Amino acid sequence: MIKCKQLILGYQKPLNKPFDIEIMANEWLGIIGENGSGKSTFLKTILGILPPLNGTITVFGKKPGKLNKLISYIPQEREINLTDLMSGLTLIKSSYRGWQYGISLTNSKLHDHTLELLELVGATEYMHQSFNTLSGGQKKRIYLAQALINRPKLLLLDEPLADLDPKAKQHFIQALQEIHEKHSLSLLIISHDMHEIATHLDGFVHFKDGVVHDCRDLACSKEDTYVGI
């Protein structure tokens, strides 16, 4: 699904030594490493937002950015301006096929699909409530349902557990578990709280001292005290 060959990430200066990695379909991987090591840059490179400094990367067999309609991305920081009348339900529906020109037509199938996602992430109780009045944890569940509305093949999450209280974290992780069981999609997740979700993952992409490698066991991830496992 994602193939990196002699890839070097960065803006103007390289963040890592050349690395080769292949990520297969339906894998759930954590991205671990210290701040500034290139984790978020890696996600932006997958999306085609940032070009690699050297080497090559393909996503679904194409150059990054060519098939972004198959990818959903929840960034670490997200600011959206909505009216107080906009509910979580309406926000999710409005994201359906957002890459198309014009206004997407709504129908009963879309409505039913949206309700299924809201139930999946545990947000049905407040789906009609103004989005602006929701708590941080509630908003993140709405964002998660929004990210799934177009049935993506790849889900990218950058620090989704940040600023959540312990109860909200557990609810979010439970929602991810449900998604893993019911949907065939790949997941790349960056988190300071990797110990909360590590046992549910297939492995890790480890950024350390400029070296990037694929590791499949917790022993590897424990080398980095940043992970906190």
Side-chain angles (χ1 to χ4, degrees):
M1 186 190 66
I2 299 174
K3 186 173 183 178
C4 306
K5 186 173 182 179
Q6 293 297 289
L7 187 64
I8 298 179
L9 307 171
Y11 292 86
Q12 295 179 337
K13 296 181 179 180
L15 293 173
N16 58 273
K17 300 174 183 178
F19 69 92
D20 297 348
I21 276 183
E22 290 190 16
I23 298 173
M24 309 304 291
N26 301 328
E27 284 193 316
W28 282 49
L29 302 178
I31 302 178
I32 58 178
E34 296 180 350
N35 289 335
S37 61
K39 303 186 303 297
S40 295
T41 302
F42 185 43
L43 297 190
K44 292 178 181 178
T45 302
I46 290 171
L47 290 164
I49 297 173
L50 292 173
L53 293 185
N54 208 347
T56 61
I57 176 172
T58 57
V59 184
F60 301 111
K62 303 289 185 180
K63 292 180 63 176
K66 294 295 185 180
L67 292 175
N68 277 359
K69 65 182 180 181
L70 301 179
I71 305 174
S72 284
Y73 170 51
I74 302 181
Q76 183 174 358
E77 299 293 337
R78 188 172 188 182
E79 293 292 338
I80 57 175
N81 295 318
L82 302 176
T83 68
D84 290 336
L85 298 178
M86 177 72 81
S87 67
L89 176 63
T90 304
L91 175 62
I92 296 168
K93 283 186 175 182
S94 67
S95 303
Y96 181 65
R97 294 185 178 177
W99 61 83
Q100 294 180 338
Y101 290 107
I103 300 174
S104 297
L105 298 177
T106 59
N107 53 43
S108 59
K109 289 185 178 180
L110 173 59
H111 183 73
D112 291 344
H113 179 48
T114 306
L115 293 182
E116 289 174 2
L117 293 178
L118 284 163
E119 183 176 358
L120 182 64
V121 302
T124 54
E125 292 183 3
Y126 45 83
M127 64 182 181
H128 295 296
Q129 188 174 331
S130 169
F131 182 82
N132 290 338
T133 65
L134 299 179
S135 68
Q138 290 171 335
K139 286 181 178 178
K140 289 196 174 184
R141 290 205 215 180
I142 294 293
Y143 284 145
L144 185 55
Q146 181 188 31
L148 298 172
I149 190 63
N150 292 301
R151 295 181 173 89
K153 296 297 184 183
L154 173 61
L155 183 59
L156 307 178
L157 303 180
D158 193 345
E159 296 290 358
L161 304 180
D163 303 321
L164 296 183
D165 60 50
K167 185 176 181 180
K169 285 181 183 179
Q170 290 303 314
H171 285 163
F172 195 90
I173 293 170
Q174 184 178 359
L176 289 180
Q177 289 178 274
E178 292 287 333
I179 292 167
H180 199 181
E181 293 173 2
K182 297 182 179 181
H183 292 261
S184 296
L185 80 164
S186 303
L187 171 72
L188 294 179
I189 179 171
I190 300 171
S191 179
H192 277 80
D193 300 290
M194 194 62 73
H195 62 286
E196 301 275 4
I197 195 173
T199 56
H200 305 295
L201 300 175
D202 297 312
F204 308 90
V205 179
H206 195 174
F207 287 71
K208 184 175 182 181
D209 299 329
V211 176
V212 183
H213 68 280
D214 184 2
C215 56
R216 295 288 163 168
D217 55 65
L218 291 178
C220 174
S221 60
K222 288 178 182 178
E223 294 175 7
D224 203 328
T225 56
Y226 164 88
V227 179
I229 297 175

